[in-house]
Structure formats: structure tokens, C-alpha cells
Amino acid sequence: MTHFPTIPVEVTLPRIEDPRGNLTFIQDSDQVPFDIERVDWIYDVPGGVFRPGHILVDKPMLVTALSGSLDVTATGAFGKACFTLNRPSTALLLPPSTKFEFSNFSTNTVAMTMSGTPGLSVPDEIITLENYKSNGHFTSLVSQCRIIELPRLGDLAGSLTPVVNGQGQLPFDTRRVYYLYDIPADAERGGHSHYCEQRLIVAAAGCFDVAVSDGKSWRTYTLNRPYRGLYVPQGLWRVLNNFSSGSVALALCSTPYSEDDYVRSFNEFLALSAKKIDI
Ligand code: TYD
């Protein structure tokens, strides 16, 4: 059984530095002691606006600033504490039964919250090339990508987009979230496919293009709304480019991180995809 703190704690998330932009990922780990059940992102909050929170009954919650900065006031059995979040690789972990409020948003801030239940680990998928159903190189087509319209709960205090596992919003449950930030305007990311991982890609800030290929055809999507995501099934090659300045690419993924799930050579991808079957 995973233990989580009884007071709010600032946690340092992994930060993978890269000249093509920095990357932070969040999954069940020592820093994030729960399995993800819900992810929300908050954006378009006018400066000076106060966003009242609520009491999380029995779940711990993680808050981070994907872009910009905000203050979090947390009240609970520990008393009252105030924190400033201004780095995408730093998060605040709030214990269960904490009342929280957000204020002092800087211009163009994107805040993300995640909550879940400790100790409900789902077993990892077994990745085998023989398993046609879980290896999308044999099955997935570009035509299976689609834009998924997400809720946009907006008012004068900004907009919030929630994605909740088990509610059919996505074709998979979110097991890991990662985001790219500090991306130079001419950078290109991606350039690989996955045996198993499915994902939803969202422009949480700014805009960029995602080009996807199934080995035969290519299609390019422009993402430029925080409430519209591109669903990419497993087994498709994908490249992200044309990033606008200040953009943040947010990805909700169906599997925990595993380097074994990657195909990083385009020729290997083409060879795998050449065996595509009709199902
Ligand atoms: P990669 O997926 O290759 O990035 P991109 O597709 O954006 O170019 O990941 C870059 C590096 O980060 C690579 O060394 C693997 C590591 N990484 C993790 O450790 N965890 C993760 O969840 C992700 C997405 C990447």
C-alpha cells in the first residue's frame, strides 16, 4: 500500500532536458503515489481572478503549472498553507480532505490537476509482437486517428477541461501524462511509433502540427484548442512540429513509460507496418 503525506508537499517531477524542448512525465511513482483517475487542465484565466476550489473527500491531488504561474492556498487538518507554482517540473501534492483555492494567475497560465486512488495498480500489459491485437503496427490506420472534443467548462474565472477514466471520454484509461514545454519554434519532436501505447495529444497552450503515418499514407492535424485532442492509436508513426512560441504539448497515454514499447527506426516501422492485416 502506497503512503502519501498528510501535509501538502512540493514534489520534483522528472525533467528530461532536450534542445528540442523539455519533457516532464507523471505516472504512479514515488513522487506521485496514486494511480491516475482524473486529469483537469485550467486555462484562459484572467489575471487577478480567484478560483474557488473544493474539498477532495478521500483522494490526494497533484497540482502543477504547465505554463505561467499561480498560487495555491490549501486548508486541511494541517492548517492553512500557501504555495506558488511556476515550474512545469514542480508540483504540489495535496493530501486527501484538503480544501484548495487558486489565485494570482499570471497571463496565459495553464494549470493541471490530477487525482487518483493510492494502491489500485492495474497490471502492466504484456507486449508481444505475436499479439496482433495489442500491436497496432499490424492493424492501425491513419483513418483511426480522430479529433476528440473534450468538455470546456468555462466561466468568468477561466476554463477547465476534465478527462476522467472509466467514462468513455477516451478509448483508453489514462495511466501516464507527459508534457513538452520550452519548445523552440523550429523544433521537431516525436519521430517514432509504439507497439501498445495509445494517446491523446492536446495543445494545452499555443499550437503545433501532428503528422501521423500508418506506413502507407500520412495525415497532418493542426492542434490549437485546449479542449480538442487528437487520438492516436497504437502502431502509427507520428511527428510533432510547427510549434508556436510558448506552446505546451500535453499527452495522455494508455501505458506507463517503457522504452521497449518504442519503434524509433522509420525503416523498422515500415517493415512492421508492411505486414498490416485487415480486421
Ligand atoms: P521521446 O518519447 O523520445 O520524446 P519525443 O517523442 O517528444 O521526441 O522521449 C524523450 C526522452 O524522454 C526519452 O529518453 C525517453 C524519456 N521519456 C520518459 O522517461 N518518460 C516518458 O513518459 C516519456 C514520454 C519520455
Side-chain angles (χ1 to χ4, degrees):
M1 168 85 186
T2 318
H3 293 286
F4 45 86
T6 52
I7 56 168
V9 277
E10 282 184 301
V11 292
T12 302
L13 302 166
R15 179 173 190 266
I16 298 172
E17 296 189 13
D18 192 304
R20 303 165 306 143
N22 296 320
L23 182 153
T24 289
F25 67 97
I26 305 176
Q27 62 186 23
D28 188 17
S29 65
D30 290 346
Q31 292 94 347
V32 188
F34 56 80
D35 292 310
I36 301 166
E37 287 174 356
R38 174 181 178 129
V39 184
D40 298 76
W41 49 102
I42 299 162
Y43 45 95
D44 296 344
V45 182
V49 162
F50 179 76
R51 281 189 72 93
H54 53 267
I55 294 186
L56 277 175
V57 179
D58 57 356
K59 301 196 190 244
M61 189 178 87
L62 193 84
V63 193
T64 187
L66 301 186
S67 177
S69 67
L70 74 156
D71 290 346
V72 183
T73 305
T75 316
F78 49 83
K80 187 171 180 172
C82 193
F83 301 84
T84 297
L85 294 174
N86 56 13
R87 293 278 181 280
S89 56
T90 305
L92 180 66
L93 182 60
L94 299 174
S97 305
T98 299
K99 183 169 189 300
F100 60 90
E101 276 150 355
F102 297 154
S103 60
N104 211 16
F105 284 76
S106 70
T107 302
N108 293 337
T109 292
V110 181
M112 184 178 72
T113 65
M114 294 171 65
S115 59
T117 304
L120 279 185
S121 275
V122 186
D124 291 347
E125 292 82 4
I126 299 165
I127 301 170
T128 59
L129 288 183
E130 293 72 37
N131 186 346
Y132 281 10
K133 281 229 164 78
S134 69
N135 183 357
H137 296 99
F138 296 120
T139 54
S140 293
L141 299 171
V142 160
S143 56
Q144 288 168 280
C145 289
R146 63 180 199 274
I147 295 289
I148 297 183
E149 197 79 18
L150 301 165
R152 180 194 190 190
L153 312 176
D155 58 24
L156 290 177
S159 296
L160 179 146
T161 290
V163 173
V164 186
N165 283 354
Q167 298 203 349
Q169 275 179 289
L170 308 183
F172 59 89
D173 281 345
T174 304
R175 305 275 307 284
R176 170 172 51 108
V177 169
Y178 78 88
Y179 37 95
L180 304 167
Y181 49 97
D182 301 338
I183 310 166
D186 57 352
E188 184 165 292
R189 303 276 326 202
H192 50 70
S193 68
H194 290 273
Y195 290 109
C196 282
E197 185 202 291
Q198 308 168 63
R199 63 178 57 200
L200 184 85
I201 307 173
V202 179
C207 65
F208 52 87
D209 291 345
V210 185
V212 285
S213 173
D214 52 22
K216 289 200 171 68
S217 51
W218 284 87
R219 183 161 176 192
T220 299
Y221 293 83
T222 295
L223 299 182
N224 54 14
R225 296 283 187 278
Y227 50 87
R228 241 171 238 154
L230 174 65
Y231 168 64
V232 182
Q234 58 273 62
L236 297 184
W237 191 264
R238 60 173 185 83
V239 176
L240 279 66
N241 56 22
N242 277 336
F243 290 93
S244 70
S245 176
S247 54
V248 176
L250 174 65
L252 275 52
C253 307
S254 63
T255 57
Y257 173 74
S258 162
E259 189 56 38
D260 291 345
D261 192 42
Y262 280 76
V263 176
R264 291 194 182 270
S265 144
F266 191 61
N267 284 340
E268 190 186 339
F269 164 75
L270 288 178
L272 282 166
S273 302
K275 297 174 196 154
K276 207 150 273 202
I277 53 163
D278 255 340
I279 52 164

